[in-house]
Amino acid sequence: MPTRPGRVVVTGLGAVTPYGIGVAALDDGLRAGRPTARPITAFDASDHQVRFACEVPGFDPSARLPRRLARQLDRFAAYAIVAAEEALSSAGLLAATPDDGLHVPLDPALDAERVAVCVASGIGAITEATEQHARLLAGGPSRVRPYLSIALPLNMAGGQVAIRHGLRGPSFAIVSACASAGDAIGAALDLLRAGRADVALAGGSEAAINPLTMAGFATSGALSSRNDEPERASRPFDTDRDGFVCGDGAGLLVLERAEHAAARGAVALAELAGYAATTDAHHVTQPPPGGTGAARALRLALRDAGAAPGDIDHVNAHGTSTVLNDAAEAAAIRTVFGSHTDTIAVTSTKSAIGHLLGAAGGVEAVATVLALRDGVVAPTQNLERLDPACDLDVVTGSARKLLLRAAVSNSFGFGGHNAALVFRAVDGGGRVALG
Amino acid sequence: MSRPPSVEQRLAAAMLDLFGIPEADLSPDAELETDLALDSLSVVELQVVLEEQLGVRISPDDPSAVRTLGDLRAVIEEAVRRGAPAMPPLQLSEDA
């Protein structure tokens, strides 16, 4: 595969999702179309309007991480740390020698000062905030635990990841609501293209299944209220959709300058070919009619990738299962791809694992890379009657095997944020050749 | 009726629970920062947890003089001996 200067490839993946820990669990679950929405166990939701979500099953930070580290973390950062280790390990970037538990260093052959960390979150440490606030009200200021100050900040998922692995390049957290992880991956692409780093760990992490967040999303009317049939609640593009389902987890990519990957003989899973972000400047929660802001992001991302609309075979849609998003997104896709739209296999990962908010774009980027690597598009669950306002070829029923050359992953957020990423398949074996 | 755990027992239990440090590592002259790798926030965290269990406020006159586990234990035992000012019990619907 010839390599243009400035090209960036994906060499590692990590995920913590409602299917459990690891990319393999995500891949299996998505392909099989297994639902994950269940009654909430994280707290007593009996008096809540919405009493179900897509939780990460059996996640105990103290069992997976050294206790002194686990104590410092809100759940959102713990997800990021677990996903980061999988991503770096699968990219072959970690040292072979055993660690001291707290620190898991990079392979000493790598320059840690050239590794960036861009881990986003939309909400951050909401459980830490609410629990410590309860202690403040009940017992006064001296009852607030000292770790609040390091568990709370939104940058601490990436900050802790950097400390754990000794990653000393640029690191920051991007916040753009449910577009956060998409924008973080795009920002990492920009860092690598600008030569500010050779490797970047990028994506998002979220743990928003919390009484306060769930109450707020429910009263705002954004959530599906199908308490009697949680497994059928997330139904993107379906006529009977009634809102999104909240999900937890993290999804991270290892991005790498193609020359750097080639020099160390790394296997590329896909190329991250393009990114664009736009803002609607229209309304806090509603997309403009026709999804014009999203369409503009799509068009600019294709241009950034040097791709034509006809090159795209698959779209991993934002597909939230809200009435407004899905219709506007479908309109945006049709505006940009025209008649080629009918040959694009569209799917929504949120039908399976719910909406991971600031982490959604990270997990969905992982899903998009898996689709390109294997030539398999996972099905959209619960799509029984396609809304005529969502005139797309949505993959339903079982996974669809097909030749995929390039794919787009969309992420949109409250505030009018639109992010689009373009990934290209690499040839079999995934070796990056310099040409 | 069993006796309430001693300060030493509570300290050992908290060290294991909070930081995963086994009892075997807890000699009185173990340095908090170097031998046990506890930073200043960890020591405060330990203090907050023990204050809650014992219902007393632990505020050493000179925190920088608390260098070893033995120093810390002495400060806590002194706070228990003085017994005041007591911390009111924390009433939470869900324990944080």
Side-chain angles (χ1 to χ4, degrees), chain A residues 113-390:
Chain A
E113 295 183 5
R114 298 282 299 163
V115 181
V117 180
C118 306
V119 179
S121 184
I123 307 274
I126 188 71
T127 298
E128 176 74 9
T130 53
E131 285 182 354
Q132 296 306 312
H133 187 245
R135 293 173 65 85
L136 173 72
L137 296 181
S142 65
R143 280 317 190 22
V144 174
R145 73 182 198 126
Y147 285 146
L148 171 89
S149 52
I150 51 173
L152 191 63
L154 222 125
N155 61 295
M156 275 302 179
Q160 290 280 16
V161 165
I163 291 168
R164 186 159 163 79
H165 300 293
L167 313 178
R168 300 203 296 276
S171 76
F172 45 77
I174 280 196
V175 185
S176 50
C178 303
S180 298
D183 281 324
I185 293 167
L189 175 65
D190 288 347
L191 285 178
L192 295 168
R193 283 174 170 172
R196 297 188 196 281
D198 293 325
V199 178
L201 185 63
S205 186
E206 201 77 86
I209 302 174
N210 165 281
L212 184 65
T213 337
M214 288 299 292
F217 279 132
T219 53
S220 77
L223 294 178
S224 166
S225 57
R226 285 176 198 262
N227 290 300
D228 297 335
E229 41 179 10
E231 296 189 346
R232 302 182 66 211
S234 186
R235 40 198 316 120
F237 308 116
D238 187 88
T239 310
D240 294 328
R241 66 190 184 275
D242 72 328
F244 74 81
V245 177
C246 206
D248 255 17
L252 297 174
L253 308 179
V254 172
L255 303 172
E256 195 165 351
R257 293 194 310 109
E259 293 89 339
H260 190 270
R264 66 182 187 92
V267 174
L269 305 170
E271 178 191 355
L272 175 57
Y275 158 69
T278 64
T279 305
D280 294 336
H282 169 72
H283 186 276
V284 270
T285 59
Q286 297 174 10
T292 49
R296 203 153 48 85
L298 275 168
R299 224 180 261 119
L300 291 170
L302 291 176
R303 187 188 302 169
D304 188 51
D311 297 338
I312 303 298
D313 298 318
H314 167 46
V315 171
N316 185 302
H318 186 56
T320 55
S321 181
T322 63
V323 171
L324 289 176
N325 173 82
D326 296 359
E329 183 173 13
I333 291 171
R334 198 156 273 284
T335 302
V336 172
F337 293 101
S339 60
H340 177 64
T341 304
D342 298 325
T343 67
I344 294 177
V346 176
T347 199
S348 166
T349 303
K350 292 182 183 75
S351 68
I353 59 169
H355 192 346
L356 274 64
L357 311 175
V363 174
E364 290 159 22
V366 170
T368 307
V369 170
L370 293 172
L372 285 170
R373 184 193 68 182
D374 300 334
V376 173
V377 176
T380 297
Q381 297 178 27
N382 299 319
L383 177 48
E384 290 164 339
R385 278 189 303 147
L386 185 71
D387 180 351
C390 305

Side-chain angles (χ1 to χ4, degrees), chain A residues 42-44 66-69 71-72 102 131-132 134-135 138-140 142-147 149-150 211, chain B residues 16-21 36-39 41-42 44-45 48-49 52 57 87-92 94 96:
Chain A
F43 60 92
D44 177 6
R67 256 177 289 188
R68 73 181 67 185
L69 173 59
R71 290 284 305 171
Q72 300 180 4
L102 270 183
E131 285 182 354
Q132 296 306 312
R135 293 173 65 85
S142 65
R143 280 317 190 22
V144 174
R145 73 182 198 126
Y147 285 146
S149 52
I150 51 173
Chain B
L16 184 64
D17 178 45
L18 299 181
F19 311 116
I21 301 173
L36 301 177
L38 298 182
D39 57 21
L41 279 183
S42 307
V44 180
E45 174 80 352
V48 169
V49 166
E52 206 158 296
R57 206 177 290 280
M87 298 276 284
L90 192 65
Q91 301 276 337
L92 287 172
E94 274 182 344

